[in-house]
Amino acid sequence: PGGTTTIRPSVHGDVLHSRPAVVNYGGSTGVILFYGANDGLLRAVNGKQTGAGAGEELWGFAAEERLGKLKRLRDNSPAIRLSTTPSTITEPKPRDYLMDGPIGVYQKINGAGVTEKVHIYAGMRRGGRLLYALDVTDPAAPKFKWKRTPTDTGFGVLGQTWSEPKVAFVKGRANPVVIMGAGYDAVAEDVTPRGATTMGNAVLVLDALDGTLLRSLPTTRSVAADVTLMDVNVDGKIDRAYAVDVGGNVYRVDFETPTSTDAADWSIYKLAALQGTATSTRKFFYPPDVVMAPTFVAVLVGSGDREKPLNETSTDAFFTVFDRSMGFKPTVTPAAITPSTMTVINGTSTATGDGCYMDLESGEKVINAPVTSLGVTYFGTNKPVAPSTNSCLSNLGRAKIYAAPVFCKLTTDQILTGGGLPPSPVTGIVAVEYQINGVTQTKNVPFIIGAPNAKRSGIEGSKIKPSATPVRRKNYWYIEGQK
């Protein structure tokens, strides 16, 4: 109340299937919301809170590949087959998934602050192995730009499009690029034991304007999570990225070398292999957060198989991996970091070695993306628990949120009321207005949604307090000639 909120754009995913894209066109158009839903439509909605058209849908887009699925929605038949479906239901079938994947945005704003171009890039998640690009510069009149399928040249590796198509600029390219994981391999990962990977095992880089494949950078297993992008030298261009796969591996991608920015010289190597054991494999479904220190980059990521939430014997963990190669890709590729070269978090701060990790309880899984703010990393977990025989309430498992001070200090945690899957934490700054002697003042206050709080809620907002008090030093100076 009395202020405006600015939320830092998140590189991270969340437990919802569809992540809406919010575009502020400015002027009379204002904010437009784009989101995909499991009824098969990609929708555009007027984001105004008041006035003409507030909250109204502008249009809906249906992918031609899924038009045949709409009849089932209209007829409400056949029924969906669930574990609890009564035997009296005739020929139930598995749920259909349509167009509920993540959405990336490219927005070009000129020097006068006017939006000149807006493109959106829509994935399908379990709806299919497709990526659609639409021109929504005029949000009331969308235009088809291009789409990519596994039958396109070079795109045979494309899996179910779970990873957000992130738009960025890199050196050596005039056009923006789309950077994304190649997707999810349901055939290999939905079963136990897991099968051999046949798709999704790459990081893809495309020309954002025409969809041309610039590079396919191979990984061991499928990359379902978003790719985390970094501008290490702060020149406005992405020069590094970190990706994770469902085999428990962490990768580093370099878009520059000391002598080249050509796409042919982009590289990828395995930074860490954290997969666990053959009988209890670790999977990364959510992207890592990154924190840059003076001598290393901390890559923070938690494991958990989101497709098998009821597994009570999983052995997952939350990792802080230290990437100590601060410049371009090392001349000699370093050996992959493993848990054996990392320390277990025990309450003492350490920034030596390859990093640290915190083991979770048996069956406990990280189910959202970590966010770091003011020296603390926040993330959430879920653990299946046996239902009580004395309760008629649904059992959503035990939900817990963690606050982990960087680097490698002992975490604090809190069990949430009601259980379930808490969404990914969100951090930002709210501008709070207040009066002093009749004069309106504004103060920027950092906040976090998804930190431990008095209400034990996964969506409660809180103020953020720095994890360490800054050291104040005296500065001395003099003006030349006035000694």
Side-chain angles (χ1 to χ4, degrees):
T4 58
T5 302
T6 302
I7 296 180
R8 186 183 72 179
S10 174
V11 298
H12 310 302
D14 55 38
V15 297
L16 299 177
H17 290 178
S18 177
R19 298 197 295 275
V22 181
V23 180
N24 188 353
Y25 286 79
S28 60
T29 302
V31 172
I32 303 295
L33 223 68
F34 300 95
Y35 70 95
N38 211 24
D39 62 358
L41 297 180
L42 170 64
R43 288 188 166 89
V45 174
N46 188 325
K48 293 180 181 178
Q49 295 183 351
T50 59
E56 293 182 0
E57 181 177 319
L58 301 178
W59 48 264
F61 168 79
E64 60 181 352
E65 292 84 359
R66 294 295 174 262
L67 292 178
K69 301 286 187 180
L70 300 182
K71 184 177 185 300
R72 182 182 182 186
L73 291 176
R74 182 194 67 185
D75 296 345
N76 198 29
S77 178
I80 296 173
R81 184 175 66 224
L82 303 172
S83 60
T84 55
T85 300
S87 59
T88 54
I89 300 296
T90 305
E91 297 184 358
K93 293 184 177 180
R95 179 189 302 276
D96 288 326
Y97 292 89
L98 299 172
M99 197 167 189
D100 61 347
I103 300 175
V105 177
Y106 167 53
Q107 183 177 18
K108 182 180 180 181
I109 303 175
N110 64 23
V114 177
T115 295
E116 293 185 346
K117 188 180 296 184
V118 180
H119 298 164
I120 60 173
Y121 306 87
M124 305 288 284
R125 198 179 174 273
R126 281 196 181 271
R129 301 167 64 188
L130 300 161
L131 179 66
Y132 270 89
L134 303 179
D135 184 336
V136 291
T137 303
D138 180 352
K143 300 176 183 177
F144 171 82
K145 282 192 66 65
W146 50 263
K147 69 176 177 180
R148 289 294 172 260
T149 74
T151 60
D152 295 324
T153 301
F155 284 87
V157 72
L158 188 66
Q160 293 179 351
T161 43
W162 289 34
S163 179
E164 180 183 337
K166 292 188 175 180
V167 181
F169 282 90
V170 297
K171 280 188 176 180
R173 303 291 308 178
N175 291 346
V177 300
V178 168
I179 304 172
M180 60 184 290
Y184 183 67
D185 184 348
V187 175
E189 301 298 338
D190 283 357
V191 297
T192 302
R194 57 173 22 185
T197 299
T198 61
M199 66 184 75
N201 51 329
V203 173
L204 302 179
V205 187
L206 294 70
D207 186 295
L209 301 188
D210 62 19
T212 300
L213 180 64
L214 303 177
R215 279 294 301 274
S216 177
L217 301 159
T219 59
T220 303
R221 296 195 73 91
S222 301
V223 181
D226 303 344
V227 179
T228 302
L229 310 181
M230 284 193 74
D231 176 10
V232 177
N233 58 9
V234 199
D235 65 352
K237 302 292 180 67
I238 295 299
D239 45 41
R240 189 187 301 185
Y242 292 95
V244 294
D245 69 13
V246 293
N249 300 302
V250 181
Y251 301 88
R252 169 170 156 172
V253 179
D254 285 273
F255 294 103
E256 299 177 20
T257 74
T259 58
S260 174
T261 57
D262 189 272
D265 294 320
W266 296 345
S267 63
I268 186 171
Y269 68 90
K270 188 179 295 186
L271 176 67
L274 310 170
Q275 57 266 33
T277 66
T279 57
S280 185
T281 58
R282 298 190 180 110
K283 298 183 180 182
F284 294 131
F285 277 92
Y286 293 93
D289 197 10
V290 293
V291 177
M292 190 162 69
T295 60
F296 61 85
V297 173
V299 184
L300 305 109
V301 63
S303 67
D305 191 348
R306 64 183 284 179
E307 299 311 301
K308 300 178 183 64
L310 300 182
N311 183 351
E312 298 180 355
T313 60
S314 60
T315 56
D316 289 297
F318 188 82
F319 298 90
T320 300
V321 178
F322 293 155
D323 180 4
R324 296 190 177 278
S325 300
M326 294 298 289
F328 299 107
K329 176 190 174 182
T331 304
V332 177
T333 302
I337 295 169
T338 67
S340 64
T341 64
M342 306 170 72
T343 59
V344 179
I345 295 176
N346 58 12
T348 60
S349 177
T350 173
T352 62
D354 289 332
C356 58
Y357 65 95
M358 180 186 71
D359 284 320
L360 302 178
E361 297 177 26
S362 180
E364 184 180 12
K365 309 165 190 69
V366 175
I367 44 75
N368 59 25
V371 169
T372 304
S373 182
L374 294 181
V376 179
T377 302
Y378 304 91
F379 62 94
T381 67
N382 181 272
K383 177 182 178 179
V385 293
S388 170
T389 57
N390 298 321
S391 174
C392 59
L393 297 177
S394 298
N395 179 13
L396 301 178
R398 188 199 69 190
K400 185 183 286 189
I401 49 179
Y402 287 85
V406 293
F407 303 96
C408 299
K409 293 183 178 180
L410 193 65
T411 64
T412 58
D413 60 72
Q414 181 183 66
I415 296 176
L416 300 180
T417 301
L421 307 178
S424 295
V426 175
T427 184
I429 295 175
V430 61
V432 178
E433 295 181 353
Y434 58 97
Q435 297 280 331
I436 295 182
N437 298 326
V439 178
T440 300
Q441 305 285 336
T442 301
K443 180 180 180 180
N444 291 329
V445 179
F447 72 89
I448 180 76
I449 299 174
N453 59 85
K455 294 184 179 180
R456 295 182 175 270
S457 167
I459 57 174
E460 178 70 11
S462 312
K463 290 183 180 180
I464 303 179
K465 295 181 179 180
S467 60
T469 303
V471 177
R472 295 186 177 184
R473 297 181 176 88
K474 294 181 179 180
N475 292 325
Y476 298 92
W477 68 92
Y478 66 91
I479 299 176
E480 188 71 29
Q482 297 184 14
K483 297 181 182 179

